[in-house]
Amino acid sequence: SGAVDSFNRPDAFALGTADSGQSWETYAGVLGINGGRAALPYGFTLMSIDAGASSLDVAVTVAQPANEFWLVLRLQDGANYWRFGRWGGQPYVLQQIHNNTVGFPAVETEGTVLPAAGDHLGCQIRTALIECRVNEVLVARTTSTAGNSATRAALSGYQADTGRFDDLAALPPTQPDLTVSLTGPEHLYFGAEGTWQAVVRNLRNNSQRSQLRTAVQKVLKALEANDA
């Protein structure tokens, strides 16, 4: 499973077929190919691709920003999805679209970043987590489970004929975000003292607070078991 598209093919009025073999599905408007990039038209556009998994690491490069453009996540249909991008020329934001209306789930804003050409957008999607970054800097996160069975990612925009995307990837995670190891004596005599060392390794170059909390809990349980 997974979907990848470099858009490195001749100019066309539609995206056609991705490098990974899936066909792009149109919900509104049509993105085309221009100069080896996905090109947004002027009107509202929403096109998706099926990555075949609901837990995904989704990324795309903003070759050229526009007034409103989006990397779309957890797309259930043309009226229900999440989106990370900008509208009204504002900084990046994470939004839920529910029945074609902006929803109001709990979203934590971690930073304010204005779009610029060359931005790398990356969103980590899990059962109860969406975290979105710009150039590896965390911008927004939510623990909402809305739409968490959806397997489609998409590109979208409105009045964005200058907008260009490049190098889309929507791939299942291939390894855990964190590993935990605990080293120390396996057994101790009653009354003896022992020392254990817990090591939590982040396998990605970003902060994963929810996974870190889980890792710490595992360490504490291990320590309690040894203490007993």
Side-chain angles (χ1 to χ4, degrees), residues 176-191:
D177 299 309
L178 295 167
T179 61
V180 182
S181 61
L182 186 67
T183 57
E186 294 184 3
H187 304 285
L188 286 176
Y189 291 107
F190 179 77

Side-chain angles (χ1 to χ4, degrees), residues 1-4 20 22-25 48-53 56 150-153 170:
S1 58
V4 176
S20 49
Q22 301 97 322
S23 296
W24 283 88
E25 182 172 336
S48 81
I49 193 168
D50 192 353
L56 294 167
T151 62
R152 286 184 169 271

Side-chain angles (χ1 to χ4, degrees), residues 58-136:
V58 184
V60 73
T61 297
V62 180
Q64 181 61 48
N67 194 57
E68 180 173 342
F69 63 91
W70 305 97
L71 173 61
V72 177
L73 321 162
R74 286 186 183 174
L75 186 140
Q76 299 168 270
D77 52 45
N80 297 277
Y81 49 86
W82 290 78
R83 63 186 190 180
F84 181 65
R86 69 115 65 115
W87 65 351
Q90 299 300 307
Y92 285 104
V93 65
L94 176 64
Q95 295 179 338
Q96 179 199 23
I97 301 300
H98 178 66
N99 291 334
N100 278 325
T101 302
V102 177
F104 295 96
V107 174
E108 299 176 32
T109 300
E110 305 288 347
T112 300
V113 180
L114 284 169
D119 281 348
H120 178 78
L121 311 187
C123 293
Q124 185 183 53
I125 308 165
R126 302 294 185 266
T127 301
L129 177 72
I130 299 176
E131 285 190 343
C132 290
R133 292 171 169 76
V134 179
N135 303 323
E136 303 298 336

Side-chain angles (χ1 to χ4, degrees), residues 114-176:
L114 284 169
D119 281 348
H120 178 78
L121 311 187
C123 293
Q124 185 183 53
I125 308 165
R126 302 294 185 266
T127 301
L129 177 72
I130 299 176
E131 285 190 343
C132 290
R133 292 171 169 76
V134 179
N135 303 323
E136 303 298 336
V137 176
L138 182 61
V139 173
R141 72 189 305 270
T142 182
T143 55
S144 172
T145 59
N148 65 1
S149 63
T151 62
R152 286 184 169 271
L155 299 174
S156 181
Y158 177 62
Q159 296 183 351
D161 54 326
T162 61
R164 300 289 186 271
F165 293 106
D166 204 2
D167 297 325
L168 175 95
L171 300 171
T174 57
Q175 59 183 1

